[in-house]
Amino acid sequence: MIPVRATGLLHTFAEAGVLAAADVHVALRLARLGGEADETVLLAAALAVRGVRTGSVCVELATVADTVAPADDLDGALDGDPADGELDGVGTAVEVTELPWPADWSAVGRSPVVAVGVDAAWRPLRWVDGLLYLDRYWQQEQLVRHELDARAAQPPPAVDLAPLGTLFAEPGSDRQRLAAAVAAGRWVSVITGGPGTGKTHTVARLLKLLVDQPGPPPRIALAAPTGKAAARLQESVRAQAAAIGLPVDLTASTLHRLLGWRPDSRSRFRHDAADRLPFDVVVVDESSMVPLTLMARLLEAVRPSARLVLVGDPDQLTPVEAGAVLSDLVHRPPAAVPPVPGLLDSNVDDLDDDERRQLANGVVRLRDSHRFGAGIGALAEAIRTGDADETVRLLAAGGALGRGEDTDELEAVVRSSGAEMFAAAADGDRVTALGLLGGHRLLCAHRQGPFGVAAWNEQLSRWTRPAGGPASGGWYPGQPLLITANDYDNQLFNGDTGVVVVGEDGLAAAFARGPSTEAIPLSRLSSVTTAHALTVHRSQGSQYEAVTVLLPPPSSPLLTRELLYTAVTRAVHRVRVVGSEESVRAAVGRQVVRASGLRRPVGAGPG
């Protein structure tokens, strides 16, 4: 919908689908408040709002005409619930090359609503080195930059690394040992790597190293962006604790709970620069899902004398909110401070030039995956590196991989697995039914439309719903469930999965509770939906024996390299892609690019 008060460039770009109504409304509001009438400035302001809406922290005006791709209007793609972690919508196909892009943006630097440079007085917008920000996001980016630089400039923490040889004695653990050494010897570190590369294994042994250092034992906090991810982190660390001598009562929480949720604010927390977190070590898993605002709040709350360890895969999908901080940190220019002497050992000699530069910023990437076999591993690497030809070739090779445009195989797999699930659920066998949840999953890019989870959950329900069961919308044994909002009364978290089973008093929802299970009356569940199919965003952090990936047409703006990589790396044994070769190539060739200033030195001029 085009705002009725949009005129000139705003109307043109809104009509073409580049700008949404919200972008135009904010630009017009800023214009009224600041007395600005220049069309170029209004367009720049709207593009800055659009940038945040579509995940960027800022917009580079000199190149914006090249980076706004056709079909890039994501109005409606962000569903408005930052905690949901979902994207939706297909987007509107637009032709941007013929739009009247300004050749000269200098009017932005003269505008009363724009602060130019680092030290200029506050204005709603800020222009630094050619990047135009909403000032709130500029301030948050500066806070992250300052905290990282200040911690890198501090003398490193004292640590005895000798026990690492025993903690990482297994063959092939050189990189894990290096990652633990770097994390132990720096105040901020990043442990990256794909699924199954041993990130949590490394974290557990890092914590053991720190617990055994002389002096009082460190106070440890484990956290993740979502309740589901926090529960997985806690379970994984506890599973290793007894074997390596860690405390078995370590708990993990969401970042919001760690920082101290405040009912009067969505972006501020009880713990901040004036009331720091009382921990000596803070580990954050699934850090690729942490947006700029939350990362800024975390960094200001962590004491300067505490270690912060960020763990995640920067090649996975980026956060729903603005920013891709983990990726920025991985690709940030090397710090002026050299690596801590003694952290590198002669057993790690396969680091490429980029990885050696990243060490200066405390970044170590783990490579070898133990989750899946060579076929899926090669496919994931081809996607990650943008090799479309190799991706297509691997999917055509057969075996554990496959691609097609029909859903016959999907129907056969779903009917077979659904029959097994129904049999176990009808017998009240919660353990078996829950175990079968990890067998197969359909992953979609969209939530709505012909390629969305809503339509496909209904289709898969028709394939698996027992004869004589509810025609549509009712509960039935073997129905997989997804929790869509944190439910503290039932201790269920956004992203948890369960299954409908026959209980003593009729149908109930079964959920895993560590090594045991619990059946909860369906009437007590408020935010729950069917989960035959999940969006790829929802599947992050999960794994299945086999996945089917349903790709939308090549024109879908959600079809990206990060989405396909995330989807295929959920599988352990088998991946089948349903979609055209053109869709596969479009996904591999379209990388998410989120404008940010963290990857470049900060200056003081408009560029």
Side-chain angles (χ1 to χ4, degrees), residues 345-381:
D345 62 52
S346 59
N347 293 324
V348 182
D349 56 7
D350 64 339
L351 300 174
D352 60 31
D353 290 342
D354 284 341
E355 290 171 328
R356 290 185 179 278
R357 284 193 293 269
Q358 289 167 2
L359 277 176
N361 289 332
V363 178
V364 178
R365 177 173 170 251
L366 306 182
R367 285 183 176 177
D368 299 328
S369 176
H370 305 284
R371 170 181 291 187
F372 34 65
I376 297 177
L379 177 64
E381 186 63 13

Side-chain angles (χ1 to χ4, degrees), residues 276-341:
R276 306 272 191 171
L277 289 165
F279 298 104
D280 305 301
V281 182
V282 178
V283 177
V284 180
D285 198 12
E286 298 290 354
S287 295
S288 64
M289 299 168 64
V290 181
L292 175 66
T293 297
L294 190 55
M295 187 64 76
R297 300 288 82 84
L298 173 66
L299 280 167
E300 71 177 353
V302 173
R303 294 185 301 121
S305 59
R307 291 177 176 88
L308 174 62
V309 184
L310 302 175
V311 184
D313 185 353
D315 298 308
Q316 289 191 22
L317 285 165
T318 48
V320 170
E321 295 178 78
V325 182
L326 184 68
S327 181
D328 287 340
L329 298 188
V330 169
H331 297 100
R332 198 179 183 215
V337 181
V340 179

